[in-house]
Amino acid sequence: MRPDTPGEQETVADLGEFGVIGRLTAGRAHPAATLLGPGDDAAVVSAADGRVVASTDVLVEGVHFRFDWSDPEHVGHKAVAVNLADVAAMGAVPTGVLVGIACPPTTRASVLDRITAGMWQEANRAKVGVVGGDMTSAPTVVISVTALGELRGRDPVTRSGARPGDVVAIAGRLGWSAAGLAVLKRGFRSPVNVVAAHRAPEPPYAAGPQAADAGATAMVDVSDGLLADLGHVATASGVSVDVRTDLVEVHQRLLDVASALGGDPRGWVLTGGEDHALAATFPGPQAVPDGWRVVGTVGRPAASGPAVTVDGAPYAGPAGWQHWR
Amino acid sequence: MRPDTPGEQETVADLGEFGVIGRLTAGRAHPAATLLGPGDDAAVVSAADGRVVASTDVLVEGVHFRFDWSDPEHVGHKAVAVNLADVAAMGAVPTGVLVGIACPPTTRASVLDRITAGMWQEANRAKVGVVGGDMTSAPTVVISVTALGELRGRDPVTRSGARPGDVVAIAGRLGWSAAGLAVLKRGFRSPVNVVAAHRAPEPPYAAGPQAADAGATAMVDVSDGLLADLGHVATASGVSVDVRTDLVEVHQRLLDVASALGGDPRGWVLTGGEDHALAATFPGPQAVPDGWRVVGTVGRPAASGPAVTVDGAPYAGPAGWQHWR
């Protein structure tokens, strides 16, 4: 674990469970969606139309983040962002997050303060509060976040509604997190905005409900990589998806990183995970709302079944991130 | 980790993340509250009156459970039960649970199957489904559960509404989990029902909404121990609570265990955690519903502030479970 503020030697064991929870929840302002915040057995959150959207993800030190590559603030930010992106990918508006943190008793209290500062920062960007949580001890730092959202009368946009003739479009960045990871793996800390994209992704939350309002037929959070996540849409919808490389932007910054360090910038864009862009299908180009970029089309499934192709052919590179493999 | 079914050697690494998730969610029947179950970016669950109650807890191998003391089914059961009890303690009716499981890649797939079988069993007892989840790798088994519930027009029953003159009442068992732990610590496996109470508590979920309907002024899930959790009510409400030992039942089974192994059966009842009984305050004995047992009274705070006493005096034993201490 990285060094903390000098003089701040207090550990979570010194403070005790309730002391830590008190530090993490005290004095925070909550938006209107928080009907009852932290401090009781459970929180109460708005679910305006009688339905709640909920998603949970677990991040593990050494698997999803490293404290020598990311500050505690980034870790907290990312844990919240990846879950809120899942809620947005249903077409829902975020309403709150619940947080579980397990960490060694020797963890400095200031590290937890910084993790939760990052959580609150990203929660505030999504206009929600950290409404509840749990703290406990574990050999490694493990962070679980559950994000809640409300549909406000919209139908949820699932992965299974894509139809032949639809177009595929993207909101948010692709490839930046993979480029940032490549930089960190080589021991560098810059370009700063590429590294920041890996440490603390900023998913385009508002693009989720926007796509739902525009008639998106399917939507997914790009967490495993564009091709892998479009593969989930293809399978769930029983269609094939073709991505056209002439439509997929590879930002100059990624080209610069690739030329400095080596690496395949188009591969980062097509298969790099953790950017938490949104990918959606729309009934035609005219339905694609502002801020979304068309990158491909939906067709009938291949004879062998649903598939994702690039420029009409199978993609030769690695398919995307899977745990345990 | 304990031995598994012979011949079942497949690990989670062999199956891969999506293979594991498929095994855990396939073919399960969901109740009506599950509007959209596992398999998409997020689940959609009923929140009938426009509010959702949500609570999250993290359980860690070696801290909250041991596979030499509990079967994987018990671990899954307990992880779900402790969270649903929190939802019930607000006066809410459970509507669903989300589950995050982090485990070593070498974990046998059959162990995960058994953990989730226990989760589903207890979820079914509460008439809810496992609506979403996440699987990832970690050095130790860490299970996070988020429980959701709906109030159906009731006001949430918080910890802060107890008033002098109220009575304190209990629904569910107290001391059984602590007695079961004492048995396991001595290397025994019986009495079976005492050990089962530790491995797989069965909180009285329906008693939560029942207490809310009866006008409970405050309510809490007894997870840290009766005196510790009444302490949370006393602090939040600005009152004192007196527990009367002549009203606190010490079951004959606990007396038997204590006389066989040594141990303080009344201490188990007053300070043993993890039974997940519900404790609530009511405006008077006549308001206490069937199945609840009066165990004490609420008074004005002491000169030194809110406090919990036993038979009018400070309790001399240990106060209850705190992590990291």
Side-chain angles (χ1 to χ4, degrees):
Chain A
M1 198 160 283
R2 42 169 290 133
D4 305 310
T5 317
E8 171 60 271
Q9 296 300 323
E10 218 167 17
T11 68
V12 295
D14 295 332
L15 283 175
E17 180 185 6
F18 298 118
V20 170
I21 292 176
R23 273 167 80 119
L24 303 185
T25 58
R28 302 284 186 175
H30 279 267
T34 306
L35 304 176
L36 180 70
D40 220 294
D41 288 82
V44 185
V45 176
S46 171
D49 68 1
R51 298 171 297 170
V52 61
V53 174
S55 176
T56 198
D57 266 308
V58 181
L59 280 75
V60 180
E61 182 181 2
V63 178
H64 301 88
F65 59 88
R66 293 171 46 164
F67 282 112
D68 54 343
W69 285 355
S70 294
D71 290 336
E73 289 86 348
H74 300 137
V75 173
H77 173 127
K78 189 169 188 166
V80 164
V82 303
N83 279 284
L84 289 174
D86 282 327
V87 164
M90 302 303 291
V93 177
T95 50
V97 294
L98 296 102
V99 169
I101 304 180
C103 65
T106 52
T107 305
R108 298 219 180 88
S110 62
V111 170
L112 277 194
D113 284 351
R114 295 174 63 191
I115 290 173
T116 51
M119 290 175 162
W120 271 99
Q121 190 174 43
E122 185 62 5
N124 284 340
R125 199 175 68 85
K127 304 184 177 65
V128 304
V130 179
V131 300
D134 185 35
M135 304 276 157
T136 187
S137 58
T140 315
V141 178
V142 178
I143 299 175
S144 71
V145 175
T146 300
L148 304 176
E150 63 190 4
L151 288 159
R152 300 186 183 173
R154 296 177 181 93
D155 287 332
V157 184
T158 67
R159 299 175 175 187
S160 60
R163 296 290 169 260
D166 287 355
V167 298
V168 179
I170 299 293
R173 287 170 163 180
L174 287 176
W176 286 68
S177 179
L181 182 61
V183 168
L184 289 164
K185 279 184 171 171
R186 290 287 294 274
F188 297 108
R189 294 287 180 275
S190 65
V192 171
N193 51 3
V194 175
V195 171
H198 175 74
R199 288 172 165 162
E202 297 197 343
Y205 304 125
Q210 177 198 27
D213 288 341
T217 52
M219 186 152 48
V220 70
D221 159 50
V222 183
S223 54
D224 296 327
L226 179 63
L227 300 184
D229 287 309
L230 288 177
H232 301 322
V233 170
T235 302
S237 298
V239 297
S240 283
V241 170
D242 186 51
V243 174
R244 281 180 44 193
T245 52
D246 62 323
L247 298 177
V248 175
E249 176 202 35
V250 181
H251 195 279
Q252 184 61 43
R253 185 70 70 178
L254 306 192
L255 297 172
D256 294 345
V257 170
S259 92
L261 301 183
D264 170 15
R266 194 171 299 283
W268 293 336
V269 169
L270 294 176
T271 66
E274 302 195 273
D275 283 300
H276 301 281
L278 298 178
T281 55
F282 295 90
Q286 74 294 342
V288 176
D290 286 351
W292 286 77
R293 307 175 312 274
V294 173
V295 297
T297 53
V298 178
R300 299 185 186 285
S304 57
V308 177
T309 52
V310 177
D311 297 332
Y315 182 70
W321 171 256
Q322 274 217 20
H323 299 294
W324 299 314
R325 293 254 190 221
Chain B
M1 194 159 285
R2 43 168 286 134
D4 304 312
T5 317
E8 172 61 272
Q9 297 301 320
E10 219 167 14
T11 67
V12 296
D14 295 331
L15 283 176
E17 180 184 7
F18 298 118
V20 171
I21 292 175
R23 270 167 81 116
L24 303 185
T25 59
R28 301 286 187 175
H30 280 267
T34 305
L35 304 176
L36 181 69
D40 219 293
D41 288 83
V44 185
V45 175
S46 170
D49 68 0
R51 298 171 297 170
V52 60
V53 174
S55 176
T56 197
D57 266 308
V58 181
L59 279 76
V60 180
E61 182 182 1
V63 178
H64 301 89
F65 60 87
R66 291 170 49 162
F67 282 112
D68 55 342
W69 286 355
S70 294
D71 290 336
E73 290 86 348
H74 299 137
V75 172
H77 173 128
K78 189 169 186 166
V80 164
V82 303
N83 280 284
L84 289 174
D86 281 328
V87 164
M90 303 303 290
V93 178
T95 50
V97 294
L98 296 102
V99 168
I101 303 180
C103 65
T106 52
T107 305
R108 298 223 179 87
S110 61
V111 170
L112 278 193
D113 284 351
R114 295 174 62 189
I115 290 173
T116 52
M119 289 175 163
W120 271 99
Q121 189 174 43
E122 185 62 5
N124 284 341
R125 199 175 68 84
K127 303 185 178 65
V128 304
V130 178
V131 299
D134 185 35
M135 304 274 155
T136 189
S137 58
T140 315
V141 179
V142 178
I143 299 174
S144 71
V145 175
T146 301
L148 305 175
E150 62 189 5
L151 288 159
R152 300 185 183 174
R154 297 178 180 92
D155 287 333
V157 183
T158 67
R159 299 175 174 187
S160 60
R163 296 289 170 260
D166 286 355
V167 297
V168 179
I170 300 293
R173 286 171 164 181
L174 287 177
W176 285 68
S177 180
L181 183 60
V183 169
L184 289 165
K185 279 184 171 171
R186 290 286 295 274
F188 297 108
R189 293 287 179 278
S190 65
V192 170
N193 52 2
V194 174
V195 170
H198 176 73
R199 289 171 164 164
E202 296 197 345
Y205 304 124
Q210 178 199 27
D213 288 341
T217 53
M219 186 152 47
V220 71
D221 158 52
V222 183
S223 55
D224 296 326
L226 179 63
L227 300 184
D229 287 309
L230 288 177
H232 302 322
V233 171
T235 301
S237 299
V239 298
S240 284
V241 170
D242 187 50
V243 174
R244 280 180 46 193
T245 52
D246 62 323
L247 297 178
V248 175
E249 176 202 35
V250 181
H251 194 280
Q252 184 61 42
R253 186 69 72 177
L254 306 192
L255 297 172
D256 294 345
V257 170
S259 89
L261 300 184
D264 170 15
R266 193 171 299 285
W268 293 336
V269 170
L270 294 175
T271 67
E274 302 194 273
D275 283 300
H276 300 281
L278 298 177
T281 55
F282 294 91
Q286 75 293 342
V288 176
D290 286 350
W292 286 76
R293 304 169 325 263
V294 173
V295 297
T297 53
V298 178
R300 301 185 184 285
S304 57
V308 177
T309 52
V310 177
D311 297 332
Y315 183 69
W321 171 254
Q322 275 215 20
H323 298 294
W324 298 316
R325 293 256 189 217

